Amino acid sequence: MTKHLLIVVSGPAGVGKGTIVKKIMEDDPERSLSVSCTTRSPREGEKEGESYFFLTRESFLEKIERGGFLEYSEHFGNLYGTPRDFVEERLSVGDVILEIDVNGALQVKAAYPDALLIMIAPPSMEALRERILGRKNDAGFDIEDRLSRVDFELSQADKYDAEVINDDLDRATSEVLDIINNRKRS
């Protein structure tokens, strides 16, 4: 019997990690994508419990005090975190994937040393810049702010179990699935 994995996928904005995660979710119907908590207001089309769990700042802080997050951080005045109970419940029936930033990934690894951390990296900075410029859902975000984090994020790759260069989506997805399947066999 194979054990269920906690899989953490990170990488710079625009690297394609969300698309890869979506494709690897299709590979195993019992695999779950973790839903994060946030204190920010819902955006149009976002659904409670599907997009995020939307919490007040007070309830988020109470959850921190109770040890209710595997990881959490604050970005642009809003708190974001991975709910421990949600992940543990899902791990009892299948693999769980977290698509989170580098700082969060390292917090998860401290809490769950067996977590599998996979860094998705761009083939080049030029390719990443083109992807970010081409994204329609990034309106309102400062592209330079996103790019300024890339060096830091990629400098943490040596703390991950694997790094996958996303120069071809199908090949990168296949490589991520191979990494997951190899870990499950070990």
Side-chain angles (χ1 to χ4, degrees):
M1 183 174 149
T2 60
K3 61 182 177 178
H4 301 301
L5 292 178
L6 180 56
I7 304 157
V8 179
V9 178
S10 302
V15 78
K17 62 189 173 290
T19 305
I20 290 172
V21 165
K22 187 181 212 180
K23 288 172 97 44
I24 63 176
M25 290 294 297
E26 295 168 359
D27 180 68
D28 183 347
E30 294 191 358
R31 198 171 277 150
S32 297
L33 181 63
S34 180
V35 177
S36 295
C37 296
T38 185
T39 59
R40 75 163 172 75
S41 299
R43 294 181 184 138
E44 187 175 330
E46 289 183 329
K47 295 179 181 164
E48 172 69 23
E50 191 176 303
S51 306
Y52 284 97
F53 296 109
F54 296 97
L55 304 177
T56 64
R57 188 168 192 85
E58 294 74 29
S59 50
F60 196 103
L61 293 172
E62 288 172 10
K63 197 168 182 78
I64 290 172
E65 288 297 314
R66 293 191 315 269
F69 291 107
L70 290 178
E71 60 83 28
Y72 64 91
S73 61
E74 187 165 1
H75 299 280
F76 307 109
N78 294 303
L79 294 164
Y80 295 85
T82 302
R84 182 181 301 273
D85 55 352
F86 182 88
V87 170
E88 289 174 351
E89 176 188 313
R90 295 297 196 281
L91 274 173
S92 69
V93 295
D95 295 344
V96 177
I97 300 174
L98 307 179
E99 184 187 331
I100 57 177
D101 71 10
V102 170
N103 293 330
L106 298 177
Q107 289 179 50
V108 169
K109 190 71 165 180
Y112 273 82
D114 289 339
L116 174 62
L117 273 57
I118 303 171
M119 172 70 71
I120 307 299
S124 68
M125 286 300 290
E126 296 77 31
L128 184 62
R129 180 179 286 278
E130 286 175 23
R131 287 180 191 173
I132 291 174
L133 288 170
R135 285 169 56 163
K136 296 183 180 17
N137 63 343
D138 279 353
F141 289 103
D142 186 343
I143 291 168
E144 292 308 316
D145 282 349
R146 289 184 180 242
L147 290 171
S148 70
R149 287 196 44 83
V150 173
D151 287 338
F152 166 73
E153 291 170 328
L154 295 177
S155 75
Q156 303 301 301
D158 63 334
K159 296 176 180 156
Y160 279 65
D161 299 296
E163 181 178 10
V164 174
I165 307 295
N166 186 12
D167 54 356
D168 176 86
L169 182 60
D170 290 334
R171 187 209 51 76
T173 301
S174 179
E175 188 175 339
V176 169
L177 284 169
D178 287 346
I179 291 164
I180 292 168
N181 291 330
N182 287 338
R183 173 64 73 88
K184 288 182 80 74
R185 286 192 289 270
S186 64

